[in-house]
Amino acid sequence: MSNSITIPRGTADILPSEIARWHILEFQARRVMELYGYREIRTPAFEDVHLFKRSLGVTSDVVNKQLMELSADKAGFALRPEGTASIVRSYIENHFDKKESLSKFYYIGAMFRGERPQKGRLRQFHQIGAEAIGPTSSHPLLDAEMIALAMEILDAAGIKGSVLKINSLGTPEDKEAFSQLLRKQLAAQTSGLCEDCQNRFERNVFRILDCKTEACRKIVKSLNLSIEHLSQDSQKYFQSVQEALRTLKIDFQVAPTLVRGLDYYTHTVFEISNAALGSQDALGAGGRYNRLAADLGGSENVEAIGFALGMERMLLAMPTSTEEISEPIQTIVIALSRDDQPLGFEIVSTLRRAGISGDMGYQKASMKSQMRLADKLGAQTVILIGEDERKNGYVTVKRMADGTQEKVPVKDHFKTLVDYFKK
Ligand code: HAM
């Protein structure tokens, strides 16, 4: 084994035995997204590195420490660490602002961050996300709708016990006032902060609020934060979002230290956590980003809000007993000898073309072991083909549930058999 090539750290194979749960999640997400009027968009897995630097911020951990940049002759590109920046890039490039007043996109796909891998934290992971983008489209009801959409997807996936935290960063000016306030309150305690946070104090003070170091967490807890750094208008907006959430009967907590790790946010931000996840407990997060389109060269008035849910984390929080949605295989063809194989092969091929799922083993195996395999695969029937069947133009179909057998004629280019399965 020592010289065998293994999977890169922080990535995972999604095995056939696990795929049914992924399908359930994707199916439910698509269903709910489309109920809310969102349409799917697919953007490339890599983009110009400056797209991420400009949107997420050069001081964000995602850009500073985790961006997976391509090297050599592919320099200048990076694997996408998230979906929002790419979607705004596509929105601008495809002139959506000229076509519709509000564009509602959703996406499901792999994202890449060069993080230190641990449970629930991968280097390649998957997100389900939504973004609503449009000229002067800010509205507290849209913010509430976006949060409701995220919660409804979790609900549809059977995930219980999630906690929603919300906060408001206000306008860029309010955000600046917030960072001043933070610096003022932290100034006397900087020596107690971890080394990273001492640097963050000047470069990006908000990051201190997310620091996981015990000492920094203690200091953050002692801060006296409210929403007073927000302008009157921003406060009003935030109150209206909260009222709309109450109308929708969505429970939430206002968390004054919730600032999010990416630079593009303004006004409403939110995070959904779930205790079932352990230390990496964020199931998903999002918020409003009213300046991003303009910062990336789009129209000044394009405003937006969105979220992304981590699929691996959702799967960890989903009930394990979720019923399989993959259909059981309808039939397994068992040829009793090599001479019976060509007929079996023709039968299984014809049935598949007619939309009947079937399989056949080509290796030499006893009837008993082939029956055992059919049982393991959850096959509904087996088709037995021996010398008598072949010579007399019929096959024996055995029902796995009760062991009953029937002789089914093989005539008219297998039509009789196809009809038998279709009835
Ligand atoms: P984010 O908070 O960076 O936001 O990621 C959203 C979710 O993706 C996290 O809550 C988590 O469930 C999952 N996630 C992030 N990193 C990892 C990882 N290394 N391993 C496993 N899961 C992970 C965003 O990405 C924003 N684009 C959300 C957004 C959309 N804001 C506005 N629109």
Side-chain angles (χ1 to χ4, degrees), residues 82 84 107 113 115 120-122 125 127 131 260 262 264-265 282-287 289 306-308 310 313:
E82 56 107 57
T84 312
Y107 52 96
R113 296 184 190 178
E115 308 207 53
R121 196 206 269 165
L122 293 152
F125 59 99
Q127 285 185 342
E131 315 289 346
R260 309 278 300 119
L262 312 170
Y264 50 59
Y265 292 108
L283 267 179
Y289 49 96
F307 69 82
R313 296 190 190 173

Side-chain angles (χ1 to χ4, degrees), residues 279-294:
S279 67
Q280 299 298 316
D281 68 349
L283 267 179
R288 186 159 273 296
Y289 49 96
N290 285 349
R291 293 292 314 154
L292 184 57

